[in-house]
Amino acid sequence: MASASTAKDKDIARAERRLAKLSARRLAAMHGEKTPLGPAEWVRFILRTLGILIGLLVSVPLHYLYRVFAYGSPFPMLFLRFTAWVVGARVKIHGTPLRRDVFFIANHVSWVDILSLAGATGTAFVAKYELSQVPVIGWLCRLNRTVFVKRENRMGVAEQINALKEALADNWSVTVFPEGTTTDGKSLLPFKSSMLSVLEPPPPGVLVQPVMLDYGPVSEFIGWIGEEGGLNNAMRIMGRRGSFPLHITYLEPFSPEEYHGRKAIAARARGEIEAALAATLDEPLRDFRHTVAAIRYTAPAQAE
C-alpha cells in the first residue's frame, strides 16, 4: 500500500511540475517572448509539418484537376479537416450545421478553429489579417476564401462586406468571429457587429446559426492570446504531445429578418453562445484579461 501511495504522489508531483512549466511558457508566449521547442517537441513539429505537406501534395493537384471538370471542389474542405487532425485536434460535432445559405457566428480561440470549422462544413471565413501572415496557415485559409480584415482599417469595411457577399454566394456559408480576436476559451468578449453589415438587409433565404467552440481543459494553452506571434503559436501547438479535444456545437439557427439590424443579430447570437459555453464550463464566464498569472487570467494592475 505504501509503495502504491508513493507512486501516486510521484505522478501527482510530476503532473504539477509539467503544468507549472506549461504555465510559464504560456505566460512568456503571451508577452511576445519566443518559446523554443525541446528535442521531442521539434520531432513532433517536424512530423506534423511533413504530414501537412504530404496532404498538400495529394490534395492540391486533385483540387485543380477537379476544377477542370466541375465547380465546388471538396478537396479544400477535406484537406483542412485532415490538417486539423494532424495538428492534434480531435473534433466532435454536436447539433446539426446548416449546409447552405447560412451565416455562422462563433466564438474564437485559435487558428485551429478555422481548420476545424472548414473541415466540418466547407465554410468560408472572416478572420483577422495577422492570420494571413502565418506561413502555410495563411495560404490554407486563402484556399478556402477566407476574408482577412484589419481591425484598424475602417475605410476598408465596404470592400470587406463585398468580399463577404462573394464568399457567401460561392461557398454557401460564411463564418464570422465577431469578438475580433482570440480569447482563452473561458471568456467571451463583446461582439463587434460591423462585419454583420452584410445582413443589413439579410440576403434572401439566409439564416444565422450560432456556433460554440470548446477546447476543454487545454483551451488556455491552445488560445492565441496577447502579443504572441503566429509562428510561435503554431510551433507551440504542433510541438505539443498528444491530441486535444475540440467540441463544435451548432446551436439553433434563426432568421435575421426577425431582428432590427446587425446589433440585434449580434446580441442574439452572443446570448446563445454565452449560455452554451457557460453550461459546458459549468461555471459563469470570466472577464478576459491580457495579463496572466500561471494558467489563470487576472485583472491588470490599476494605475495609481
Side-chain angles (χ1 to χ4, degrees):
M1 293 291 293
S3 60
S5 177
T6 301
K8 183 178 180 180
D9 290 341
K10 288 182 177 179
D11 289 341
I12 293 174
R14 190 180 300 112
E16 289 178 345
R17 288 195 299 271
R18 185 169 182 269
L19 178 60
K21 182 179 179 181
L22 290 174
S23 300
R25 292 185 66 189
R26 187 69 195 86
L27 175 62
M30 196 207 69
H31 287 168
E33 300 176 26
K34 293 184 178 180
T35 53
L37 303 183
E41 292 172 317
W42 267 113
V43 171
R44 289 190 287 268
F45 173 75
I46 291 170
L47 289 176
R48 284 172 169 152
T49 301
L50 288 175
I52 294 172
L53 291 175
I54 291 171
L56 275 176
L57 291 175
V58 173
S59 300
V60 171
L62 290 174
H63 166 70
Y64 288 111
L65 180 62
Y66 188 98
R67 291 291 297 269
V68 172
F69 301 100
Y71 193 68
S73 166
F75 290 103
M77 181 180 73
L78 295 174
F79 173 69
L80 292 169
R81 183 186 303 171
F82 169 75
T83 302
W85 186 87
V86 168
V87 301
R90 297 298 178 262
V91 177
K92 296 183 179 180
I93 296 176
H94 309 273
T96 304
L98 298 179
R99 292 300 177 185
R100 62 174 302 157
D101 298 327
V102 57
F103 210 78
F104 295 118
I105 297 180
N107 61 310
H108 200 13
V109 180
S110 166
W111 50 270
V112 182
D113 302 349
I114 292 179
L115 302 178
S116 303
L117 287 168
T121 66
T123 182
F125 289 90
V126 179
K128 61 183 182 179
Y129 174 78
E130 289 82 357
L131 189 63
S132 69
Q133 304 304 299
V134 180
V136 181
I137 300 299
W139 181 81
L140 293 177
C141 294
R142 289 189 187 91
L143 190 65
N144 206 57
R145 294 205 61 151
T146 296
V147 178
F148 296 107
V149 298
K150 290 185 177 181
R151 282 169 285 179
E152 69 279 7
N153 185 12
R154 304 298 182 189
M155 300 301 291
V157 171
E159 180 181 346
Q160 292 162 4
I161 290 173
N162 288 334
L164 273 175
K165 290 180 178 178
E166 292 176 3
L168 185 60
D170 191 34
N171 290 59
W172 295 346
S173 65
V174 170
T175 299
V176 173
F177 302 110
E179 290 172 286
T181 189
T182 46
T183 66
D184 56 9
K186 299 189 177 183
S187 309
L188 194 65
L189 295 173
F191 279 10
K192 298 175 174 65
S193 63
S194 60
M195 294 318 301
L196 301 185
S197 297
V198 69
L199 299 175
E200 288 185 326
V206 169
L207 295 178
V208 171
Q209 187 167 24
V211 183
M212 188 271 289
L213 302 174
D214 173 39
Y215 286 83
V218 301
S219 60
E220 292 177 285
F221 181 84
I222 298 298
W224 181 9
I225 305 167
E227 302 302 319
E228 183 177 16
L231 180 57
N232 189 85
N233 181 272
M235 293 180 69
R236 193 166 53 77
I237 291 176
M238 292 173 65
R240 183 182 179 277
R241 182 174 60 188
S243 59
F244 52 87
L246 171 53
H247 296 271
I248 303 177
T249 302
Y250 290 91
L251 303 171
E252 193 67 24
F254 63 90
S255 173
E257 293 182 351
E258 299 174 4
Y259 295 84
H260 300 291
R262 54 187 170 84
K263 291 185 178 181
I265 295 169
R268 163 67 189 271
R270 189 185 187 281
E272 297 284 344
I273 294 170
E274 181 178 11
L277 188 56
T280 298
L281 298 175
D282 198 25
E283 62 182 7
L285 303 188
R286 65 194 184 194
D287 292 337
F288 179 66
R289 296 290 185 268
H290 278 204
T291 298
V292 62
I295 205 72
R296 295 186 177 180
Y297 288 88
T298 58
Q302 299 293 323
E304 296 280 338

